Amino acid sequence: MAEARRRIAILGGGIAGLTAAYELTSPDQPNPPEVTVYQLGWRLGGKCTSGRDPSAGSRVQEHGLHVFFGFYDNAFAMLRDCYEQLDLSKDRYKTLWDALQPYDQITVMEEIGGKQVPWVINCPPLPGKPGDPHPPSIWSIVINVLKWLLRTHASIIDGLEGNQSPLQRIEGKLHRAVALAEGLGKVAVAHEKGDHEALAALIREAAEDLQERVSQVGVDDKLRRLLTLFDFVAANALGGLEDGFLFDPYRAGQRINGMEYRDWLSSHSILHLAEKSAVLRALYDLIFAYPGGDVNAKGDIAAGAMFLGLFQLWQYRGSVLWKMKTATGDIVAGPLYKLLLKRGVKFEFFSRVDRLMPSADGETIDSVTIGRQVTLTSGTYQPFIRVKDLDCWPAEPLYDQIDNGNLLKQQKVDLESPWLSWAHAPPPVTLKRGQDFDDVALAISVAALPPICGQLAKADPRWQRMMDEVQTVETMNVQLWFDRTLQDMGWGGKDGTLLGGYDVSQLDTWADISEVLPSEDWGANPPRNASILCGPMKGPAKPPLGDPTYPATALKAITAAAADFLQNHSAALWPALSQNGSFDWNALHAAPEIKGPDRLLAQYIRPNIAPSERYVMSCAGTIEARIRADDTGFANLTIAGDWIDNPQNLGSFEASVMSGKLASRALTGLPKEILRVDPKNPLLTPPTNWPPRFVEPLGNQTFPGRIDFKDVTLNSFWFEANYDKLAAICRTCFDEPSGGTVSCVPLSSWMMMSFADMGKGRFDSRPNMGWSAEKELAFWIFVGRKKAPDSDEIDEAFLFNPVLCLDNSVAMMDGREVFGFNKQRGWVDMTPRDAAAPSFRVDVFGATVDGPNVQWDRVPLLKLDGTSWLTAPGEILTDLAEVAAGLVREVPSLLPLRPGLPLLAEFLQALIDGTAPVLFLKQFRDIENQDLACYQAICTADSKITGFHGARLMKPGTLTISPVANLKIADAFGISPSTDTGIGVQLNIDMAFLPGRELWRAEPTK
Ligand SMILES: Cc1cc2nc3c(=O)[nH]c(=O)nc-3n(C[C@H](O)[C@H](O)[C@H](O)COP(=O)(O)OP(=O)(O)OC[C@H]3O[C@@H](n4cnc5c(N)ncnc54)[C@H](O)[C@@H]3O)c2cc1C
């Protein structure tokens, strides 16, 4: 009999809930569950929902201004895929890109000499498109930031008069900072603390010198703005580096999320322009960062969350902003709904979640009470109306599908409002665990949870803390349609302007959204401009559910704020609409019989006051109160939404998408990847009991942390092996265990064999421990990780070390335990560094033949002789790039990596720069069944050359391999027992082995 499918109830159909449904029903799910979404009212999308009003040109009615930033990779990737999966041939927008309007400017309002003056910041498009695979790494963003500082400094120099020499010194420091950052490996967490400190010192000195220089001269507004941007970026870069954010994001995030962002920025700012700037105010405005809603109060954002958001914003792809060409809900939630329907997801509209009940033991969610809001005439609901070739969410329910629909309409019962109820609602239903659902994904926003989750808070106090501490704020939305173009209105800037920081009013953000007009249906005489004003609304910290007059009071307040804006503050934006100090009400699109200020009432004015409409804030000191999707305290409950602990922790579309992915991952283990987030993202608070601390037993001889080797002699020879045999080793070690997640091929049939005297090895984390020595033989294969098992494209190149024999058993244990080196006990004899004829011998622990009576002992494995120095006696090569060039010159076949690979240059450069990523299969045998592994992972770590003292080249030699029953290297590599090698090189270096990360780990399928 077929196994029953797991049933998952998603409560709330906002972006997070829809993303969870999208991931749970992804084709990647081996056993997709049955998913039902319960949503109050008639439409999906939550804070991003929208409605069309057929009585007013089917105009687009939003909850507020919605834009995507060009770094929303997860959101874009999901929507791109969604559009591709649907047949949109008859629709207005065939692809996501058709529906979006890229935009490359942000305007902020500044007060200069008592006047409000716009400041336009151009953000040129960057390569790629949001949602493309392989978003930029943290370190590439740092390098980009430093280059920007350098370029901006050049513009500052152009604007400054007088002595240029101090400025050239500053430029020199910034150049050094760029070079230093470029020289460090790509994985920021693997750098040395000192590297980041050195980088920060250079930026600090450059900014301090600049401060001194500009304090001696007059600065005009143009220069002040440049200096402000320089200060803003430099302060963030300094803060990120000095607070160890880029080095140890998790701990730094924990520390600085307790600080308010502006205070944190100020503590790192040198020119002290950034924290007072209009740019910063505009950013606070954009995310409604004012508890209690007062734009004149001090804003409040957790420093870590804001830093990370801005840091990612730095490397957007394509345009910095993507505006909507029509209603947000019709671009986002509409297509997602259609795709999910296709995948079999069930939608229960008009289903208000009233209560979650835990089981008696507090371990699981046992029941969910659903308040049914209406009875449907046919049992199901078709939610769309068609407007201009697009399926759209209507602004009101489709009453003809509802029993007593006319009455509902007449009584104006808003089914999204908790202040209103309807007498004809059918009785509630109770969903039961095991009968109606197995697991629950709660995707209702945090301010709506207290009445729903009171019982959860009793069972687990973290819930009470989260509901108390994660703050929300009401917002205002005023949409205006004008019978004038933007130019007629007197705005001097570009069409499509998005403007923030206009704090003369609570409506502090304005955007020209005229790009939506063609999607509306006005017939003759359509409006010429559509604009949106929004901002936080002054109001209570929690929804005043007990006050039935509240919705009317809120509407009155926002209408008054809109009238005040138009009458008293619109002239700075639209001077042509102010006549003799009075706003020209006739400019608003409305029926001719409506006169004067009443024309405002024909516009769309909306207070977002219902609990789940409130914007979720990220106030300092509150991030810790958030709960993770996989740590809710109830075995069958996960959570999704911009209010849960997620990699962004800001109220945004992208954060909601990430949270939905995390909810799906908590339930099924998939998706594995969240773009722009390291799989071991340290910003996600780990569950309190995971991972456990490593127990330091008495007399432990393996050690944590980075290993530093001083005075290493590394003699490396190349030889040609059998490509197919090397490919088979890759398959066995990577493709087969990971099921193709890490799929590798050799990049060459040439291998490297190194005889190393590792000099003095020390453990960074045990500075007082002294040192030890080791000699080793290592074989290296150059491998490339493929984009996918059936792809020819290579993503990354690594060194892979299938066998390593060494004479220090502690190093052997440490290498296996920490990284996954396949280390074997061996003995390596090497002639001294400067012997006239270098030769090498290696024995291993084992036996020459198999057999029950054979004693394992030290047996010969190989020798290499017949070589001599190629570099002239007494000559030493002192430049690593020169060594690489010398090698290639001597033996062109040393560039045997497959032709045409773009990575080849990158990989060689990494080696020359001194960093080489190494790949490992790390595993431990299971205790019960020793043919199985109880831990198995594919890991990578960088080996880094920290000092280079010289090199010499060696002539080819002969490698002679002896039979060893337990280490058949000639067979494994497909070489003859007597093989001529290629050229050799002896490097005299210092090196380090850095902490690494897992690329894949074996986990039971859920
Ligand atoms: C005015 C405004 C403007 C914004 N602008 C932007 C922007 O430009 N860019 C950006 O990135 N982000 C913006 N955001 C933030 C973004 O909209 C949110 O972060 C995101 O939509 C939150 O999605 P969610 O799924 O986490 O929550 P929600 O959208 O709150 O979803 C919760 C869902 O649960 C439903 N629900 C609530 N109560 C119940 C119940 N009892 N029973 C059943 N269902 C229920 C709701 O109707 C909703 O569908 C803006 C937010 C606001 C308020």
Side-chain angles (χ1 to χ4, degrees), residues 11-17 38-40 45-48 63-68 72 288 351-353 443-445 448 452 475 608 612-615 640-643 651-654 656:
L11 311 180
I15 297 311
Y38 296 88
Q39 166 63 42
L40 66 75
K47 294 180 185 72
C48 286
H63 276 35
L65 171 66
H66 284 287
V67 290
F68 286 169
Y72 285 6
F288 310 103
S351 296
R352 188 192 57 235
V353 176
I444 295 171
S445 194
I452 300 172
T475 61
N608 294 307
S612 88
E613 290 167 6
R614 296 171 62 105
Y615 182 81
D642 56 2
W643 47 278
S652 80
F653 196 85
E654 177 74 351
S656 308

CSV table of all heavy atoms in Angstrom, one decimal, residues 11-17 38-40 45-48 63-68 72 288 351-353 443-445 448 452 475 608 612-615 640-643 651-654 656, ligand 1:
chain,number,residue,atom,x,y,z
A,11,LEU,N,-0.3,28.3,7.7
A,11,LEU,CA,-1.2,29.3,8.2
A,11,LEU,C,-0.8,30.7,7.8
A,11,LEU,O,0.2,31.2,8.3
A,11,LEU,CB,-1.3,29.2,9.8
A,11,LEU,CG,-1.5,27.7,10.3
A,11,LEU,CD1,-1.6,27.7,11.8
A,11,LEU,CD2,-2.7,27.1,9.7
A,12,GLY,N,-1.5,31.3,6.9
A,12,GLY,CA,-1.1,32.6,6.4
A,12,GLY,C,-0.5,32.5,5.0
A,12,GLY,O,0.5,31.8,4.8
A,13,GLY,N,-1.1,33.3,4.1
A,13,GLY,CA,-0.6,33.2,2.7
A,13,GLY,C,0.1,34.5,2.3
A,13,GLY,O,-0.1,35.0,1.2
A,14,GLY,N,1.0,35.0,3.2
A,14,GLY,CA,1.8,36.2,2.8
A,14,GLY,C,3.0,35.6,2.0
A,14,GLY,O,3.0,34.4,1.6
A,15,ILE,N,4.0,36.4,1.7
A,15,ILE,CA,5.1,36.0,0.9
A,15,ILE,C,5.9,34.8,1.6
A,15,ILE,O,6.3,33.8,0.9
A,15,ILE,CB,6.1,37.1,0.7
A,15,ILE,CG1,5.4,38.2,-0.1
A,15,ILE,CG2,7.4,36.7,0.0
A,15,ILE,CD1,4.7,37.7,-1.3
A,16,ALA,N,6.0,34.9,2.9
A,16,ALA,CA,6.7,33.8,3.6
A,16,ALA,C,6.0,32.5,3.5
A,16,ALA,O,6.5,31.4,3.2
A,16,ALA,CB,6.9,34.2,5.1
A,17,GLY,N,4.6,32.5,3.7
A,17,GLY,CA,3.8,31.3,3.6
A,17,GLY,C,3.9,30.7,2.2
A,17,GLY,O,4.0,29.5,2.0
A,38,TYR,N,-4.1,28.2,4.6
A,38,TYR,CA,-5.2,28.9,5.2
A,38,TYR,C,-5.0,30.4,5.3
A,38,TYR,O,-4.0,30.8,5.9
A,38,TYR,CB,-5.5,28.3,6.6
A,38,TYR,CG,-5.8,26.8,6.6
A,38,TYR,CD1,-4.8,25.9,6.6
A,38,TYR,CD2,-7.1,26.4,6.5
A,38,TYR,CE1,-5.1,24.5,6.6
A,38,TYR,CE2,-7.4,25.0,6.5
A,38,TYR,CZ,-6.4,24.1,6.5
A,38,TYR,OH,-6.7,22.8,6.4
A,39,GLN,N,-5.9,31.1,4.7
A,39,GLN,CA,-5.7,32.6,4.6
A,39,GLN,C,-7.0,33.3,4.9
A,39,GLN,O,-8.1,32.9,4.3
A,39,GLN,CB,-5.3,32.9,3.1
A,39,GLN,CG,-5.3,34.3,2.7
A,39,GLN,CD,-4.4,35.2,3.6
A,39,GLN,OE1,-3.2,34.9,3.8
A,39,GLN,NE2,-4.9,36.4,4.0
A,40,LEU,N,-6.9,34.3,5.7
A,40,LEU,CA,-8.1,35.1,6.0
A,40,LEU,C,-8.5,35.9,4.8
A,40,LEU,O,-7.6,36.3,4.0
A,40,LEU,CB,-8.1,35.9,7.3
A,40,LEU,CG,-7.1,37.0,7.5
A,40,LEU,CD1,-7.5,38.3,6.7
A,40,LEU,CD2,-7.0,37.4,9.0
A,45,GLY,N,-0.8,37.4,-0.3
A,45,GLY,CA,0.3,38.4,-0.4
A,45,GLY,C,0.6,39.2,0.8
A,45,GLY,O,1.6,39.8,1.0
A,46,GLY,N,-0.4,39.2,1.8
A,46,GLY,CA,-0.2,39.8,3.1
A,46,GLY,C,0.2,41.3,2.9
A,46,GLY,O,-0.6,42.1,2.2
A,47,LYS,N,1.3,41.7,3.5
A,47,LYS,CA,1.7,43.2,3.4
A,47,LYS,C,1.9,43.6,1.9
A,47,LYS,O,1.9,44.8,1.6
A,47,LYS,CB,2.9,43.4,4.2
A,47,LYS,CG,2.7,43.2,5.7
A,47,LYS,CD,3.9,43.5,6.5
A,47,LYS,CE,3.7,43.2,7.9
A,47,LYS,NZ,3.7,41.7,8.2
A,48,CYS,N,2.2,42.6,1.1
A,48,CYS,CA,2.4,42.9,-0.3
A,48,CYS,C,1.2,42.7,-1.2
A,48,CYS,O,1.3,42.6,-2.4
A,48,CYS,CB,3.5,42.0,-0.9
A,48,CYS,SG,5.1,42.4,-0.4
A,63,HIS,N,-0.8,48.4,-0.4
A,63,HIS,CA,-0.6,48.7,1.1
A,63,HIS,C,0.4,49.7,1.3
A,63,HIS,O,0.6,50.2,2.4
A,63,HIS,CB,-0.3,47.4,1.8
A,63,HIS,CG,-1.4,46.5,2.1
A,63,HIS,ND1,-2.5,46.4,1.3
A,63,HIS,CD2,-1.7,45.7,3.2
A,63,HIS,CE1,-3.4,45.6,1.8
A,63,HIS,NE2,-2.9,45.1,3.0
A,64,GLY,N,1.2,50.0,0.3
A,64,GLY,CA,2.3,50.9,0.5
A,64,GLY,C,3.2,50.8,-0.7
A,64,GLY,O,3.0,50.0,-1.7
A,65,LEU,N,4.3,51.6,-0.7
A,65,LEU,CA,5.2,51.5,-1.8
A,65,LEU,C,6.0,50.2,-1.8
A,65,LEU,O,6.5,49.8,-0.7
A,65,LEU,CB,6.2,52.7,-1.7
A,65,LEU,CG,7.4,52.6,-2.7
A,65,LEU,CD1,7.0,52.8,-4.1
A,65,LEU,CD2,8.4,53.7,-2.3
A,66,HIS,N,6.1,49.5,-2.9
A,66,HIS,CA,6.9,48.2,-2.9
A,66,HIS,C,7.9,48.3,-4.0
A,66,HIS,O,7.6,48.5,-5.2
A,66,HIS,CB,6.0,47.0,-3.1
A,66,HIS,CG,5.2,46.7,-1.9
A,66,HIS,ND1,5.8,46.1,-0.8
A,66,HIS,CD2,3.9,46.9,-1.5
A,66,HIS,CE1,4.9,46.0,0.2
A,66,HIS,NE2,3.8,46.4,-0.2
A,67,VAL,N,9.1,48.1,-3.6
A,67,VAL,CA,10.2,48.0,-4.5
A,67,VAL,C,11.1,46.8,-4.1
A,67,VAL,O,11.1,46.5,-3.0
A,67,VAL,CB,11.1,49.3,-4.6
A,67,VAL,CG1,10.4,50.5,-5.2
A,67,VAL,CG2,11.7,49.6,-3.2
A,68,PHE,N,11.7,46.3,-5.1
A,68,PHE,CA,12.7,45.2,-4.8
A,68,PHE,C,14.1,45.8,-5.0
A,68,PHE,O,14.3,46.6,-5.9
A,68,PHE,CB,12.6,44.1,-5.9
A,68,PHE,CG,11.4,43.2,-5.7
A,68,PHE,CD1,11.1,42.3,-6.7
A,68,PHE,CD2,10.6,43.3,-4.6
A,68,PHE,CE1,10.0,41.5,-6.6
A,68,PHE,CE2,9.5,42.4,-4.5
A,68,PHE,CZ,9.2,41.5,-5.5
A,72,TYR,N,18.1,41.2,-3.9
A,72,TYR,CA,17.1,40.2,-3.4
A,72,TYR,C,17.2,38.9,-4.3
A,72,TYR,O,16.3,38.5,-5.0
A,72,TYR,CB,15.7,40.8,-3.6
A,72,TYR,CG,15.3,41.8,-2.6
A,72,TYR,CD1,16.2,42.3,-1.6
A,72,TYR,CD2,14.0,42.3,-2.5
A,72,TYR,CE1,15.8,43.3,-0.7
A,72,TYR,CE2,13.6,43.3,-1.6
A,72,TYR,CZ,14.5,43.8,-0.7
A,72,TYR,OH,14.1,44.7,0.2
A,288,PHE,N,10.6,52.4,7.8
A,288,PHE,CA,9.7,52.8,8.9
A,288,PHE,C,10.3,52.6,10.3
A,288,PHE,O,9.7,52.1,11.2
A,288,PHE,CB,8.4,51.9,8.8
A,288,PHE,CG,7.8,51.9,7.4
A,288,PHE,CD1,7.9,50.8,6.6
A,288,PHE,CD2,7.1,53.0,6.9
A,288,PHE,CE1,7.3,50.7,5.4
A,288,PHE,CE2,6.5,52.9,5.7
A,288,PHE,CZ,6.6,51.8,4.9
A,351,SER,N,-10.4,31.8,5.7
A,351,SER,CA,-10.2,31.0,6.8
A,351,SER,C,-9.3,31.7,7.8
A,351,SER,O,-8.1,31.8,7.6
A,351,SER,CB,-9.5,29.7,6.4
A,351,SER,OG,-10.3,28.9,5.5
A,352,ARG,N,-9.8,32.2,8.9
A,352,ARG,CA,-9.1,33.0,9.8
A,352,ARG,C,-8.6,32.0,10.9
A,352,ARG,O,-9.4,31.3,11.6
A,352,ARG,CB,-10.0,34.0,10.4
A,352,ARG,CG,-9.3,35.1,11.3
A,352,ARG,CD,-10.3,35.9,12.1
A,352,ARG,NE,-11.2,35.0,12.9
A,352,ARG,CZ,-12.5,35.0,12.8
A,352,ARG,NH1,-13.2,35.8,12.0
A,352,ARG,NH2,-13.2,34.1,13.6
A,353,VAL,N,-7.3,32.0,11.1
A,353,VAL,CA,-6.7,31.1,12.2
A,353,VAL,C,-7.0,31.8,13.5
A,353,VAL,O,-6.6,33.0,13.7
A,353,VAL,CB,-5.2,30.9,11.9
A,353,VAL,CG1,-4.6,30.1,13.1
A,353,VAL,CG2,-5.0,30.3,10.6
A,443,ALA,N,2.7,31.2,9.4
A,443,ALA,CA,3.3,32.3,8.6
A,443,ALA,C,2.4,33.5,8.8
A,443,ALA,O,2.3,34.3,7.9
A,443,ALA,CB,3.4,31.9,7.2
A,444,ILE,N,1.9,33.7,10.0
A,444,ILE,CA,1.1,34.9,10.3
A,444,ILE,C,2.0,35.8,11.0
A,444,ILE,O,2.8,35.4,11.9
A,444,ILE,CB,-0.1,34.5,11.2
A,444,ILE,CG1,-1.1,33.6,10.4
A,444,ILE,CG2,-0.9,35.7,11.7
A,444,ILE,CD1,-2.2,33.0,11.2
A,445,SER,N,1.9,37.1,10.8
A,445,SER,CA,2.9,38.0,11.3
A,445,SER,C,2.8,38.2,12.8
A,445,SER,O,1.7,38.0,13.4
A,445,SER,CB,2.8,39.4,10.6
A,445,SER,OG,3.9,40.1,10.9
A,448,ALA,N,0.0,39.7,15.2
A,448,ALA,CA,-1.3,39.1,15.2
A,448,ALA,C,-1.2,37.8,16.1
A,448,ALA,O,-2.3,37.2,16.3
A,448,ALA,CB,-1.7,38.7,13.8
A,452,ILE,N,-3.6,34.2,19.1
A,452,ILE,CA,-3.5,32.9,18.5
A,452,ILE,C,-2.6,31.9,19.2
A,452,ILE,O,-2.9,30.7,19.3
A,452,ILE,CB,-3.0,33.1,17.0
A,452,ILE,CG1,-4.0,34.0,16.2
A,452,ILE,CG2,-2.9,31.7,16.3
A,452,ILE,CD1,-3.5,34.3,14.8
A,475,THR,N,1.6,51.8,9.4
A,475,THR,CA,2.1,52.6,8.3
A,475,THR,C,0.9,53.2,7.6
A,475,THR,O,-0.2,52.8,7.7
A,475,THR,CB,2.9,51.7,7.3
A,475,THR,OG1,2.0,50.7,6.8
A,475,THR,CG2,4.1,51.1,8.0
A,608,ASN,N,-2.5,51.1,7.5
A,608,ASN,CA,-2.2,49.7,7.7
A,608,ASN,C,-2.1,49.4,9.2
A,608,ASN,O,-1.1,49.6,9.8
A,608,ASN,CB,-0.9,49.3,7.0
A,608,ASN,CG,-1.0,49.4,5.5
A,608,ASN,OD1,-1.9,48.9,4.9
A,608,ASN,ND2,-0.1,50.2,4.9
A,612,SER,N,-1.5,42.0,11.4
A,612,SER,CA,-0.5,41.5,10.6
A,612,SER,C,-0.1,42.4,9.5
A,612,SER,O,0.8,42.2,8.7
A,612,SER,CB,-0.9,40.1,10.1
A,612,SER,OG,-1.6,40.2,8.9
A,613,GLU,N,-0.8,43.6,9.4
A,613,GLU,CA,-0.4,44.6,8.4
A,613,GLU,C,0.7,45.5,8.9
A,613,GLU,O,1.4,46.2,8.2
A,613,GLU,CB,-1.6,45.5,8.0
A,613,GLU,CG,-2.6,44.8,7.2
A,613,GLU,CD,-3.9,45.6,7.1
A,613,GLU,OE1,-4.0,46.7,7.6
A,613,GLU,OE2,-4.9,45.0,6.6
A,614,ARG,N,0.9,45.5,10.2
A,614,ARG,CA,1.9,46.3,10.8
A,614,ARG,C,3.3,45.9,10.4
A,614,ARG,O,3.7,44.7,10.3
A,614,ARG,CB,1.8,46.3,12.4
A,614,ARG,CG,0.5,46.8,12.9
A,614,ARG,CD,0.4,46.5,14.4
A,614,ARG,NE,1.4,47.1,15.2
A,614,ARG,CZ,1.2,48.2,15.9
A,614,ARG,NH1,0.0,48.7,16.0
A,614,ARG,NH2,2.2,48.7,16.6
A,615,TYR,N,4.1,46.9,10.1
A,615,TYR,CA,5.5,46.6,9.6
A,615,TYR,C,6.4,46.1,10.7
A,615,TYR,O,6.3,46.6,11.8
A,615,TYR,CB,6.1,47.9,9.0
A,615,TYR,CG,7.5,47.7,8.5
A,615,TYR,CD1,7.7,47.2,7.2
A,615,TYR,CD2,8.6,48.0,9.2
A,615,TYR,CE1,8.9,47.0,6.6
A,615,TYR,CE2,9.9,47.8,8.7
A,615,TYR,CZ,10.0,47.3,7.4
A,615,TYR,OH,11.3,47.1,6.9
A,640,ALA,N,7.4,31.0,9.7
A,640,ALA,CA,8.0,31.7,8.6
A,640,ALA,C,7.4,33.2,8.6
A,640,ALA,O,6.3,33.4,9.0
A,640,ALA,CB,7.5,31.0,7.3
A,641,GLY,N,8.3,34.1,8.2
A,641,GLY,CA,7.9,35.5,8.2
A,641,GLY,C,9.1,36.4,8.5
A,641,GLY,O,10.1,35.9,9.0
A,642,ASP,N,8.9,37.6,8.1
A,642,ASP,CA,10.1,38.5,8.3
A,642,ASP,C,10.4,38.8,9.8
A,642,ASP,O,11.3,39.5,10.1
A,642,ASP,CB,9.9,39.9,7.5
A,642,ASP,CG,8.6,40.6,7.9
A,642,ASP,OD1,7.8,40.1,8.8
A,642,ASP,OD2,8.3,41.6,7.3
A,643,TRP,N,9.5,38.2,10.7
A,643,TRP,CA,9.7,38.4,12.1
A,643,TRP,C,10.5,37.3,12.8
A,643,TRP,O,10.8,37.4,14.0
A,643,TRP,CB,8.3,38.5,12.8
A,643,TRP,CG,7.4,37.4,12.3
A,643,TRP,CD1,6.6,37.5,11.1
A,643,TRP,CD2,7.1,36.2,12.9
A,643,TRP,NE1,5.9,36.3,11.0
A,643,TRP,CE2,6.2,35.5,12.1
A,643,TRP,CE3,7.5,35.6,14.1
A,643,TRP,CZ2,5.7,34.2,12.4
A,643,TRP,CZ3,7.0,34.3,14.4
A,643,TRP,CH2,6.1,33.6,13.5
A,651,GLY,N,12.6,43.9,7.9
A,651,GLY,CA,11.3,43.7,7.3
A,651,GLY,C,11.3,43.9,5.8
A,651,GLY,O,11.2,45.0,5.3
A,652,SER,N,11.6,42.9,5.1
A,652,SER,CA,11.7,43.0,3.6
A,652,SER,C,11.2,41.7,2.9
A,652,SER,O,11.0,40.7,3.5
A,652,SER,CB,13.2,43.2,3.2
A,652,SER,OG,13.8,41.9,3.2
A,653,PHE,N,10.9,41.9,1.7
A,653,PHE,CA,10.5,40.9,0.8
A,653,PHE,C,11.5,39.7,0.8
A,653,PHE,O,11.1,38.5,1.0
A,653,PHE,CB,10.3,41.4,-0.6
A,653,PHE,CG,9.5,40.6,-1.5
A,653,PHE,CD1,8.2,40.7,-1.5
A,653,PHE,CD2,10.1,39.6,-2.3
A,653,PHE,CE1,7.4,39.9,-2.3
A,653,PHE,CE2,9.4,38.8,-3.1
A,653,PHE,CZ,8.0,39.0,-3.1
A,654,GLU,N,12.8,40.1,0.7
A,654,GLU,CA,13.8,39.1,0.7
A,654,GLU,C,13.9,38.3,2.0
A,654,GLU,O,14.0,37.1,2.0
A,654,GLU,CB,15.2,39.7,0.4
A,654,GLU,CG,16.4,38.8,0.4
A,654,GLU,CD,16.5,37.9,-0.9
A,654,GLU,OE1,15.5,37.9,-1.6
A,654,GLU,OE2,17.5,37.3,-1.0
A,656,SER,N,11.5,37.7,4.0
A,656,SER,CA,10.3,36.8,4.1
A,656,SER,C,10.5,35.6,3.2
A,656,SER,O,10.2,34.5,3.6
A,656,SER,CB,9.1,37.6,3.6
A,656,SER,OG,8.9,38.8,4.3
B,1,LIG,C1,3.7,49.6,3.8
B,1,LIG,C2,4.8,48.6,3.6
B,1,LIG,C3,5.7,48.8,2.5
B,1,LIG,C4,6.7,47.9,2.3
B,1,LIG,N1,7.6,48.0,1.3
B,1,LIG,C5,8.6,47.1,1.1
B,1,LIG,C6,9.5,47.3,0.0
B,1,LIG,O1,9.4,48.2,-0.8
B,1,LIG,N2,10.4,46.3,-0.2
B,1,LIG,C7,10.5,45.3,0.6
B,1,LIG,O2,11.4,44.4,0.4
B,1,LIG,N3,9.7,45.1,1.6
B,1,LIG,C8,8.7,46.0,1.9
B,1,LIG,N4,7.9,45.8,2.9
B,1,LIG,C9,8.0,44.7,3.8
B,1,LIG,C10,7.4,43.4,3.2
B,1,LIG,O3,6.2,43.8,2.6
B,1,LIG,C11,7.2,42.4,4.3
B,1,LIG,O4,8.5,42.1,4.9
B,1,LIG,C12,6.7,41.1,3.7
B,1,LIG,O5,5.6,41.3,2.9
B,1,LIG,C13,6.2,40.2,4.9
B,1,LIG,O6,5.7,39.0,4.5
B,1,LIG,P1,5.3,37.9,5.5
B,1,LIG,O7,4.8,36.7,4.7
B,1,LIG,O8,6.4,37.7,6.4
B,1,LIG,O9,4.1,38.5,6.4
B,1,LIG,P2,2.7,39.0,6.0
B,1,LIG,O10,2.7,39.7,4.7
B,1,LIG,O11,2.2,39.8,7.1
B,1,LIG,O12,1.9,37.7,5.7
B,1,LIG,C14,1.0,37.2,6.7
B,1,LIG,C15,-0.2,36.5,6.1
B,1,LIG,O13,-1.0,36.0,7.1
B,1,LIG,C16,-2.3,36.4,6.9
B,1,LIG,N5,-3.0,36.4,8.2
B,1,LIG,C17,-2.9,37.3,9.2
B,1,LIG,N6,-3.7,36.9,10.2
B,1,LIG,C18,-4.3,35.7,9.8
B,1,LIG,C19,-5.1,34.8,10.5
B,1,LIG,N7,-5.6,35.0,11.7
B,1,LIG,N8,-5.5,33.7,9.8
B,1,LIG,C20,-5.2,33.5,8.5
B,1,LIG,N9,-4.3,34.3,7.9
B,1,LIG,C21,-3.9,35.4,8.5
B,1,LIG,C22,-2.2,37.8,6.3
B,1,LIG,O14,-3.4,38.1,5.6
B,1,LIG,C23,-1.0,37.5,5.3
B,1,LIG,O15,-1.5,37.0,4.1
B,1,LIG,C24,6.8,46.7,3.2
B,1,LIG,C25,5.9,46.6,4.2
B,1,LIG,C26,4.9,47.5,4.4
B,1,LIG,C27,4.0,47.3,5.5
